[in-house]
Amino acid sequence: MLLPSGGLGMNSTSMDEMNLIQQAQRHHLVVRDIGEEIDLEIGPGDDDPSSFPTSALLGQDPSSEEPDDSKHIVMGGDQLPMENDQDISKVQPAKRKKKVVKRWREEWADTYKWAYVDVKEGTARIFCSVCREYGRKHRRNPYGNEGSRNMQMSALEEHNNSLLHKEALRLQMASKDKIVVDKPIVVKALMSKTAGSIIEAALKRDPHEVEFVQCVQEAVHALERVIAKNSHYVSIMERLLEPKRTLIFQVPWIDDKGEIHVNRGFRIQFNMALGPPCRGGIRFHPSMNLSICKFLGFEQTLKNALSPYKLGGAAGGSDFDPRGKSDSEVSRFCQSFMNEIHWYLGPDKDLPSEDMGVGTREMGYLYGHYKRFTSPFQGSFTGPKIFWSGSSLRTEATGYGLVFFAQLMLAEMNKELKGLRCAVSGTGKIALHVLEKLVAYGAIPITVSDSKGYLMDEDGFDYMKIAFLRDLKTQQRSLRDYSKTYARSKYYDEAKPWGERCDIAFPCASHNEIDQSDALNLVSLGCRLLIEGSNMSCTPEAIEVIRKANVLMAPAIAAGAGGVVAGELELNNECNLMNWSPEDFESKLQEAMKQIYQRALKAATDFGYQKESPESLAHGAVISAFLTLAQAMTDQGCLL
């Protein structure tokens, strides 16, 4: 093997710089594409050469190697002079040498995948085959200065964690012709050719947008019977899947130390057939990207079309993470974000609302900067402050609406919430208000979760415990601290709450939070009802398990429409002029949720789905929303 000179922890002062490249060429070691084999020959120096083999580390099966002294490294003094002429074979017994090679062969092989040798300004260097750069993190000896395991792996870890390498790898992956997107089995098994062509077109146009394609698959599967009756809806669906306006922009901001950061911002106005205005959330989260933004915008379009109000659909946000940021940092970011999108906002254009990572603080900063551009008070943003955005129960609306929707489903089955065990995920605005309303109806909520695990309280949460959870969240403390106060509770690291026995599941954390194994756990432990609080809570495989087990499922576009209802109520002039009581507001919310439930159920029945079918509500909600949009798009022509 060959070890390049310069900065690799070896004595190379006596080596000719070009000799290294010549040796590399003789041994066929120059590798320029990731995944190909490469060997680096070790020269004299601080490393112990007797620990390493001469055979290629990639493409061989370590278990197939037989002891052979001819495979040992032999350093000739005439070629690579050493400080002394000691026999290297005496430094370490051959038996131990083979043991070390076998133990670390796989890790060394991973290390070699990123390297190739080249000359830069007359000096031989090791380059990264991904980002084509060399430097401190790229030219370190993969074995480490002493050949120890820690040093061996630290070089690989440093390289793989470098920002330059990650960005180059991301671009490399994005440039590939094909990215495999898993399709739900139910789509492959049941989809007609006509409806399947819509998915094929989406895959061809946006092959890298996994979340958006998944969302499209579920919607098209729900619309299969509709499309079969009227082929005209194929072209309508193709138009619907292309956003009306997509904004992608940079958001530069300065932190409290004076350092400049740049994030990426998004705003997608998906469809305005029922608007303007369009309504949709703003999400600040590190995972935010174009695919997630499009999927959220599409779901919001369906959700708004299913509601009693005439609204277009939109979504937006940034990969900015507000957690751990000071008020001044968040304020500066929000101002920079608003500088780019204020042209497209307003009561007759676009009404942004809260989403993950955007609460009272963030929405206040966004709206305050928006007013600097518009001057008059328009009240077009939704949020929890009554003095600038309307109803005082705006924050509670989505969580309360989920419980109201579950109550409607149970009433159809001649059952009630009282005494039922409920598993809830998340600790955000939606989840905590779901807990609150469940307690009010006599149910027993037993779980909440965060990004690191979940909390289980066998006695169930009550109002006092919920208040304590809010304090933990406000103080940015871990849910583990809850167990210090309530002994019968337990926090489980790196786990999700779907392994607990429950009657109803309320996923309120993030998309795809319930996978196939989680669904199997829920079904086997007695869950009979699943109410989506987060958009697209289940993976396609999980949905298949849930449907086959006859678990009734309420989709987020129906059950989670409480926020849309509250947003419209707070913008109503009558609502702004009156001080509604919580009871009045809840009465209006319950009535709106009942209308949504009945619309979804009627659409499902019209297209042959039985009430007791696990697909009835999920498919009925999409059908009802789509038919409303399709009629508006047809009536208004092809320019929308």
Side-chain angles (χ1 to χ4, degrees):
M1 295 189 304
L2 173 71
L3 185 62
S5 62
L8 293 180
M10 300 182 58
N11 182 10
S12 58
T13 57
S14 60
M15 294 183 62
D16 181 74
E17 294 173 343
M18 295 306 297
N19 187 37
L20 181 64
I21 303 305
Q22 294 171 0
Q23 293 178 51
Q25 293 171 349
R26 284 201 304 271
H27 290 82
H28 306 286
L29 303 180
V30 178
V31 178
R32 299 188 180 278
D33 294 320
I34 256 188
E36 298 184 21
E37 297 184 5
I38 180 169
D39 272 343
L40 300 178
E41 184 178 343
I42 297 180
D46 297 332
D47 292 330
D48 178 8
S50 62
S51 302
F52 314 114
T54 56
S55 57
L57 293 179
L58 293 180
Q60 295 186 7
D61 183 4
S63 61
S64 64
E65 294 191 10
E66 298 293 336
D68 186 357
D69 292 339
S70 64
K71 293 184 180 180
H72 298 172
I73 293 179
V74 179
M75 300 295 182
D78 56 337
Q79 189 174 18
L80 296 174
M82 300 179 62
E83 295 181 2
N84 55 68
D85 296 326
Q86 294 180 353
D87 186 3
I88 294 176
S89 63
K90 296 179 182 180
V91 176
Q92 192 174 20
K95 191 173 184 180
R96 182 179 177 186
K97 176 170 37 182
K98 288 297 178 183
K99 182 178 180 181
V100 172
V101 169
K102 186 174 182 180
R103 182 177 180 182
W104 303 118
R105 177 178 297 276
E106 184 176 346
E107 295 175 355
W108 292 342
D110 288 338
T111 303
Y112 285 138
K113 290 180 182 178
W114 56 266
Y116 70 91
V117 181
D118 206 343
V119 178
K120 178 74 172 181
E121 298 177 354
T123 303
R125 302 188 185 277
I126 291 184
F127 285 78
C128 170
S129 56
V130 176
C131 39
R132 308 292 181 181
E133 294 289 343
Y134 71 93
R136 183 179 65 82
K137 292 182 179 180
H138 294 114
R139 68 173 186 266
R140 283 188 58 177
N141 175 11
Y143 296 119
N145 293 335
E146 301 298 332
S148 66
R149 176 183 182 277
N150 289 339
M151 293 301 292
Q152 292 164 19
M153 301 314 296
S154 69
L156 175 64
E157 184 178 357
E158 274 195 302
H159 171 264
N160 290 343
N161 288 336
S162 67
L163 294 177
L164 181 64
H165 173 87
K166 286 183 176 180
E167 179 63 14
L169 187 61
R170 184 187 67 79
L171 293 174
Q172 186 184 70
M173 293 298 295
S175 66
K176 291 186 177 180
D177 294 334
K178 291 184 179 180
I179 289 184
V180 178
V181 179
D182 293 332
K183 298 181 181 180
I185 297 174
V186 66
V187 173
K188 291 182 179 180
L190 302 177
M191 184 70 64
S192 66
K193 290 183 178 180
T194 304
S197 66
I198 299 174
I199 294 179
E200 292 300 323
L203 281 167
K204 185 177 180 180
R205 175 174 287 185
D206 303 307
H208 311 304
E209 297 174 1
V210 180
E211 294 85 2
F212 178 61
V213 171
Q214 178 187 338
C215 179
V216 171
Q217 288 180 19
E218 284 301 314
V220 173
H221 175 58
L223 294 171
E224 185 177 9
R225 296 184 183 182
V226 178
I227 294 172
K229 286 188 175 182
N230 191 341
S231 59
H232 170 66
Y233 288 137
V234 174
S235 61
I236 295 290
M237 191 64 179
E238 289 175 348
R239 287 165 53 195
L240 181 61
L241 293 180
E242 187 62 27
K244 176 179 177 61
R245 180 178 291 113
T246 301
L247 307 176
I248 305 176
F249 49 92
Q250 68 166 219
V251 188
W253 58 282
I254 302 175
D255 65 18
D256 291 340
K257 297 179 181 178
E259 297 180 0
I260 298 176
H261 302 269
V262 178
N263 286 92
R264 181 173 292 176
F266 307 91
R267 189 63 181 175
I268 293 181
Q269 295 170 346
F270 214 95
N271 186 278
M272 286 192 179
L274 298 178
C278 56
R279 182 183 289 280
I282 293 180
R283 174 179 293 191
F284 290 165
H285 194 271
S287 66
M288 191 66 176
N289 57 36
L290 181 60
S291 175
I292 292 177
C293 194
K294 287 179 67 174
F295 123 69
L296 291 174
F298 181 65
E299 290 253 315
Q300 190 68 46
T301 299
L302 297 177
K303 186 182 296 185
N304 292 351
L306 191 61
S307 75
Y309 308 101
K310 302 301 181 183
L311 293 166
S318 173
D319 55 3
F320 172 76
D321 189 355
R323 292 176 300 179
K325 303 293 192 304
S326 68
D327 289 350
S328 58
E329 288 175 329
V330 174
S331 177
R332 286 191 289 270
F333 175 84
C334 290
Q335 290 177 14
S336 182
F337 185 90
M338 187 53 62
N339 284 340
E340 297 295 329
I341 65 170
H342 73 275
W343 311 97
Y344 306 96
L345 304 182
D348 57 347
K349 297 177 182 178
D350 187 348
L351 308 176
S353 57
E354 302 171 15
D355 202 322
M356 185 187 302
V358 177
T360 306
R361 177 180 64 168
E362 290 78 14
M363 190 57 71
Y365 292 149
L366 289 168
Y367 184 69
H369 198 59
Y370 168 75
K371 286 206 302 178
R372 295 183 62 186
F373 297 106
T374 60
S375 295
F377 178 83
Q378 294 179 319
S380 60
F381 285 17
T382 58
K385 294 294 186 183
I386 189 170
F387 60 85
W388 58 265
S389 67
S391 171
S392 61
L393 290 179
R394 168 67 180 87
T395 311
E396 290 89 336
T398 303
Y400 284 9
L402 292 174
V403 180
F404 294 155
F405 204 90
Q407 197 177 31
L408 290 168
M409 295 174 68
L410 289 170
E412 195 75 28
M413 303 161 60
N414 295 318
K415 296 181 180 179
E416 58 181 15
L417 274 168
K418 187 175 181 180
L420 298 183
R421 287 168 60 91
C422 303
V424 181
S425 66
T427 47
K429 297 183 291 291
I430 297 177
L432 292 180
H433 290 115
V434 167
L435 294 182
E436 187 177 292
K437 189 52 65 175
L438 286 174
V439 172
Y441 281 111
I444 308 173
I446 56 173
T447 66
V448 288
S449 67
D450 57 18
S451 58
K452 295 183 173 60
Y454 78 93
L455 176 68
M456 162 69 178
D457 191 328
E458 188 61 40
D459 296 331
F461 298 103
D462 55 27
Y463 291 121
M464 186 177 296
K465 292 177 179 178
I466 295 172
F468 184 59
L469 288 173
R470 283 202 178 93
D471 290 339
L472 292 177
K473 182 176 174 62
T474 302
Q475 299 166 18
Q476 297 184 351
R477 293 164 58 190
S478 172
L479 289 178
R480 294 185 185 90
D481 294 341
Y482 181 94
S483 300
K484 298 176 182 178
T485 303
Y486 297 96
R488 281 179 55 81
S489 65
K490 186 175 181 180
Y491 184 83
Y492 296 88
D493 288 303
E494 303 299 329
K496 293 182 282 187
W498 314 124
E500 300 292 342
R501 182 178 62 84
C502 65
D503 301 299
I504 309 177
F506 288 88
C508 302
S510 183
H511 63 275
N512 285 339
E513 60 178 295
I514 298 179
D515 58 25
Q516 186 177 32
S517 61
D518 297 325
L520 289 170
N521 286 336
L522 285 171
V523 169
S524 63
L525 292 170
C527 178
R528 305 313 304 162
L529 218 62
L530 190 146
I531 315 294
E532 285 191 327
S534 55
N535 291 301
M536 202 167 71
S537 303
C538 303
T539 65
E541 296 79 9
I543 291 176
E544 184 70 5
V545 171
I546 290 168
R547 287 174 178 168
K548 286 183 177 180
N550 289 321
V551 174
L552 293 181
M553 180 176 174
I557 64 171
V564 179
V565 174
E568 286 306 292
L569 288 177
E570 69 186 8
L571 289 177
N572 183 282
N573 289 333
E574 181 184 7
C575 179
N576 283 329
L577 295 175
M578 297 174 58
N579 185 16
W580 283 14
S581 68
E583 291 75 19
D584 293 332
F585 185 88
E586 286 192 28
S587 176
K588 291 282 186 181
L589 181 59
Q590 282 180 309
E591 180 60 31
M593 297 306 296
K594 185 176 181 180
Q595 291 181 36
I596 293 171
Y597 175 78
Q598 290 175 342
R599 283 188 61 184
L601 210 57
K602 182 179 184 303
T605 304
D606 290 345
F607 284 88
Y609 294 101
Q610 301 298 321
K611 287 184 178 180
E612 60 274 11
S613 169
E615 297 180 324
S616 60
L617 280 174
H619 288 186
V622 175
I623 291 170
S624 178
F626 174 76
L627 291 177
T628 301
L629 287 165
Q631 186 63 50
M633 293 170 70
T634 302
D635 292 344
Q636 298 172 34
C638 65
L639 299 180
L640 285 173

